Amino acid sequence: MRVLVVGSGAREHALLLALSRDPGVTALMCAPGNAGIAKIAEQHPVDIASGEAVASLAKKLDADLVIIGPEVPLVLGVADAVRSAGISCFGPSAAAARIEGSKAFAKDVMAAAGVRTAHSEVIDNPAKLDEALDRFGPNWVVKDDGLAAGKGVVVTTDRDTARDHAAELLENGHPVLLESFLDGPEVSLFCVVDGETVVPLLPAQDHKRVGDGDTGPNTGGMGAYTPLPWLPDETVARIVDEVVMPVAAELVARGCAFTGLLYAGLAIGKDGPAVVEFNCRFGDPETQAVLALLKSPLGQLLNAAATGTLDQVAPLEWYDGSAVTVVVAAEYYPAPPRTGDVIIGSDGDGILHAGTKMVEGQVVSAGGRVLSIVGVGPDLTAARDDAYGKIATVKLPGSHYRKDIGLAAVEGRITVN
């Protein structure tokens, strides 16, 4: 099977590494890729937002399966174009990708499916903002209703901060979603979905804020770990039964069946799981940790979903132990980052590239999140030690990373009511 992966981040690097372990995958290609991906896959330039360009490239490369990593091409309908060209594609249609592309659509789907989530209101008129803010709090959750690369959310106890963020979004022409605050630890559960067939992967926990102790602004994700020692197995089954399967069935009923990776972000409170958000693709940085423990062949799993045979796949097998991802970010990130610096120690097992490129034979930084460092071990403590040991070998001027990925779980500070 010849596989083309669309994207250029550490998520795509992780997908390609896992695909390289699948004996059924005979050729690996990536468009456009990055400096690290170049070592394991053919790379091809492409406008990932153009369905015509991606489909044309897939045909030229004689790809049997196209896997679309980022959310933007999915929301724009690139998967539709690939399938229209007669090529199997792992990724939802534009209609189904609205589960991430429009939070208002996602809320409507969840209401119809009877799925627990936060109370919300969409505000598109600045004149109505103050009155709406008065209906929320003391913790305000303010979101961009569209795509924001994980950085369009402000959670604050300061009303002025909430108002400023909402006003800025509205000024830029973006509708605002106000939500009630959901308590409890957060969980990311990835599910491979083919219509109403749902296959869950290992649950993970992302660390969104830039600083240790969950301080500072939200980012696209500074690290993750899996599995979650504090999360009972029955809770994962409950998420599948009460959240993912009803949403998948509702999308089928609406004529936009989901084919691809449905990502449920949840808060686990005293009343059980409640949805914070849905994404229509593999999450970053959770993917890097989750796929490090996958023993089953990834290419065959994703191809089964893409070809409508997911219900025939054998139960997934996983390696024992834990995996941790720590993101090494460029100076100033999540503000506009410093780029163009040479990276020392960018090769090696468990060092996945995100914002990198090759310049005159050297790997240099080319984005905000530059590398994802993946550690594995028999338990979470060992996996953390492995990850941070690898980070010590990497040198990037001005870079920063969180020192506490997975630490609260190791110290037993996360509990489910």
Side-chain angles (χ1 to χ4, degrees):
M1 178 167 54
R2 296 174 58 82
V3 181
L4 170 64
V5 174
V6 175
S8 60
R11 164 185 50 217
E12 288 75 33
H13 198 167
L15 285 164
L16 287 156
L17 283 172
L19 289 164
S20 72
R21 301 193 295 266
D22 185 337
V25 174
T26 55
L28 283 176
M29 302 157 287
C30 188
N34 60 43
I37 287 172
K39 298 181 182 301
I40 60 171
E42 296 175 18
Q43 295 197 123
H44 301 271
V46 76
D47 176 3
I48 67 169
S50 168
E52 181 181 359
V54 173
S56 176
L57 177 63
K59 291 184 75 170
K60 176 183 175 183
L61 298 176
D62 197 24
D64 299 301
L65 174 66
V66 175
I67 300 168
I68 300 176
E71 62 272 24
V72 170
L74 291 168
V75 170
L76 292 175
V78 172
D80 299 278
V82 171
R83 278 191 278 267
S84 293
I87 301 168
S88 298
C89 185
F90 184 82
S93 65
R98 287 180 294 165
I99 198 76
E100 177 171 2
S102 169
K103 294 177 180 65
F105 174 79
K107 290 289 186 181
D108 187 61
V109 168
M110 285 186 276
V115 170
R116 290 186 66 244
T117 187
H119 166 67
S120 66
E121 292 183 33
V122 176
I123 310 300
D124 58 8
N125 184 342
K128 298 181 178 180
L129 177 58
D130 286 307
E131 181 183 349
L133 285 168
D134 290 342
R135 291 193 286 272
F136 291 82
N139 288 296
W140 282 270
V141 181
V142 184
K143 296 182 177 181
D144 188 331
D145 185 48
L147 296 178
K151 293 178 283 187
V153 180
V154 164
V155 180
T156 180
T157 57
D158 187 288
R159 188 184 189 282
D160 290 340
T161 299
R163 190 186 190 284
D164 288 347
H165 182 60
E168 181 182 359
L169 291 173
L170 289 167
E171 185 177 341
N172 291 327
H174 295 217
V176 169
L177 188 79
L178 298 180
E179 285 190 342
S180 58
F181 180 74
L182 294 173
D183 65 344
E186 291 196 8
V187 172
S188 300
L189 184 66
F190 298 169
C191 293
V192 178
V193 175
D194 164 21
E196 295 192 46
T197 303
V198 174
V199 176
L201 307 186
L202 290 178
Q205 187 176 60
D206 184 14
H207 295 60
K208 280 289 187 188
R209 294 191 181 270
V210 71
D212 288 356
D214 292 327
T215 57
N218 272 341
T219 71
M222 293 299 294
Y225 65 97
T226 188
L228 308 181
W230 48 268
L231 187 71
D233 289 343
E234 56 266 29
T235 303
V236 174
R238 186 176 174 186
I239 293 169
V240 172
D241 292 343
E242 297 180 9
V243 175
V244 183
M245 291 187 70
V247 165
E250 176 62 20
L251 291 173
V252 169
R254 293 180 180 221
C256 53
F258 194 99
T259 296
L261 197 290
L262 189 56
Y263 165 151
L266 310 113
I268 311 299
K270 61 181 183 300
D271 296 323
V275 174
V276 175
E277 65 178 354
F278 275 107
N279 291 333
C280 65
R281 37 72 195 187
F282 280 100
D284 183 342
E286 300 100 319
T287 298
Q288 293 89 297
V290 170
L291 293 186
L293 297 181
L294 181 64
K295 185 184 292 187
S296 297
L298 180 65
Q300 295 174 45
L301 172 65
L302 304 190
N303 189 60
T307 57
T309 59
L310 185 61
D311 59 346
Q312 300 172 29
V313 170
L316 297 185
E317 296 184 51
W318 300 90
Y319 293 106
D320 293 333
S322 297
V324 172
T325 303
V326 182
V327 170
V328 176
E331 188 173 14
Y332 309 127
Y333 178 81
R338 167 177 164 173
T339 59
D341 289 303
V342 174
I343 307 167
I344 305 299
S346 62
D347 289 332
D349 182 48
I351 299 179
L352 309 187
H353 288 227
T356 68
K357 64 180 179 180
M358 192 71 72
V359 176
E360 297 180 353
Q362 293 184 303
V363 178
V364 304
S365 58
R369 293 186 295 174
V370 181
L371 301 171
S372 282
I373 312 300
V374 180
V376 294
D379 55 32
L380 188 52
T381 297
R384 276 177 40 83
D385 290 345
D386 188 38
Y388 286 108
K390 291 171 180 174
I391 286 179
T393 68
V394 175
K395 307 298 178 188
L396 173 62
S399 63
H400 59 97
Y401 59 90
R402 282 185 58 161
K403 317 295 192 300
D404 64 344
I405 304 301
L407 183 59
V410 167
E411 295 178 347
R413 290 188 279 117
I414 303 179
T415 58
V416 177
N417 294 327

